[in-house]
Amino acid sequence: MGDGIGRYRGTEGRPSRESRLAQWLRRRSGNTDVEDPQREDLLLAAAAAGLPLAPAAHPIGYRCSCERIGCPTPATHPISFAWQTQSTTDRAQIQRWAQGQPEANFITATGMVHDVLDVPLEAGRGALDRLLERGIDVGPVAQVGEDRMLFFTATRGTPEDEDEWWPCALDCHPETMDEHPGLRWHCRGSYVLVPPARLPGDGDLAVDWVRGPEHPLPDPLTLLEALTDACAKYAGENEDIDHHAAAWPLGR
């Protein structure tokens, strides 16, 4: 897996990283021209696969570059409110953005060409292994830090039955996100970070490809059963752990 262009992350490993000292020295010097030599290539590869891109905020330590006090989605939201119309696969425009904003993350707008099935990392890893073992075509897959896994699929378009839509709510409450660890379906009106992207923290957290954008986008329904089953199992196991921890006597 992950044998295409650029820096990919395996399901059991991580991409190599420069030392934290080197990262700190680069931030102190203000030199952002060498942020990631593969960054532009990876963004252009995503665009070439049909993923429309737009610039997003980036992390400054644990804070967001937007400087909004209490930003609810630090370093993971678009820079412009017009991100849906701004999103593009135009190579020249993406190069201008990447070179003019060397620290920016990028989002890809869903519901145009592709959707994204967003699941807890542990559930996603298990589902990915099972899907590949069964010979099911799995498209691009990305890992978001140590929390989530993104399965990129073809968009469902505009179904006749609106009840079929299972959209991701972008205005969900961040403080309760961990209480709802199930599947999120990013379709029209939504977006996700596209690799490579950096997350708030000490420099180790990132969004990287597990399977690159050279893999064709599958129909989301071919993955849905495996992903929902994996999420249900993950939620059940964590509920059992929580109940066990609550029943365990304190002070021993």
Side-chain angles (χ1 to χ4, degrees):
M1 290 187 295
D3 53 355
I5 184 171
R7 181 186 63 202
Y8 295 160
R9 181 203 305 251
T11 56
E12 299 299 329
R14 287 186 171 187
S16 60
R17 300 277 181 191
E18 62 183 318
S19 71
R20 294 182 185 178
L21 176 59
Q23 293 174 342
W24 181 83
L25 288 172
R26 190 185 68 246
R27 289 196 296 270
R28 292 283 292 179
S29 68
N31 180 13
T32 60
D33 293 337
V34 292
E35 183 67 24
D36 186 342
Q38 296 178 332
R39 172 173 170 266
E40 187 174 319
D41 289 340
L42 284 166
L43 293 172
L44 291 173
L51 310 186
L53 307 183
H58 64 271
I60 302 176
Y62 287 86
R63 297 181 294 108
C64 182
S65 61
C66 73
E67 299 184 352
R68 174 184 173 187
I69 297 175
C71 175
T73 54
T76 64
H77 61 81
I79 293 174
S80 172
F81 289 114
W83 58 270
Q84 292 190 69
T85 55
Q86 184 186 53
S87 298
T88 183
T89 58
D90 182 74
R91 181 182 180 89
Q93 179 60 66
I94 291 168
Q95 286 179 313
R96 285 193 292 269
W97 280 334
Q99 294 167 13
Q101 304 176 58
E103 291 190 300
N105 287 334
F106 278 75
I107 59 96
T108 177
T110 55
M112 299 180 185
V113 174
H114 70 293
D115 290 350
V116 171
L117 302 177
D118 174 351
V119 300
L121 178 59
E122 183 178 339
R125 283 174 170 168
L128 178 59
D129 289 341
R130 285 191 291 276
L131 287 164
L132 293 175
E133 287 172 0
R134 290 160 54 188
I136 294 176
D137 291 333
V138 180
V141 179
Q143 181 171 328
V144 182
E146 297 301 326
D147 297 320
R148 309 289 297 185
M149 185 170 277
L150 308 178
F151 288 75
F152 289 70
T153 72
T155 187
R156 297 200 62 207
T158 306
E160 295 181 3
D161 184 357
E162 289 294 327
D163 291 337
E164 291 184 4
W165 283 96
W166 188 355
C168 172
L170 295 179
D171 58 349
C172 54
H173 300 289
E175 64 271 16
T176 63
M177 187 70 74
D178 291 339
E179 297 176 15
H180 305 282
L183 183 148
R184 307 168 196 161
W185 190 322
H186 296 268
C187 51
R188 58 181 176 182
S190 187
Y191 57 82
V192 297
L193 286 177
V194 66
R198 296 176 297 121
L199 301 173
D202 61 6
D204 291 335
L205 297 177
V207 182
D208 292 308
W209 290 116
V210 175
R211 288 168 55 87
E214 74 278 5
H215 294 280
L217 295 168
D219 187 310
L221 298 184
T222 63
L223 311 183
L224 189 57
E225 181 178 0
L227 291 174
T228 52
D229 286 348
C231 287
K233 180 180 178 182
Y234 169 82
E237 290 174 349
N238 280 272
E239 184 178 359
D240 291 341
I241 291 172
D242 291 341
H243 287 168
H244 179 73
W248 192 261
L250 300 177
R252 290 189 178 182

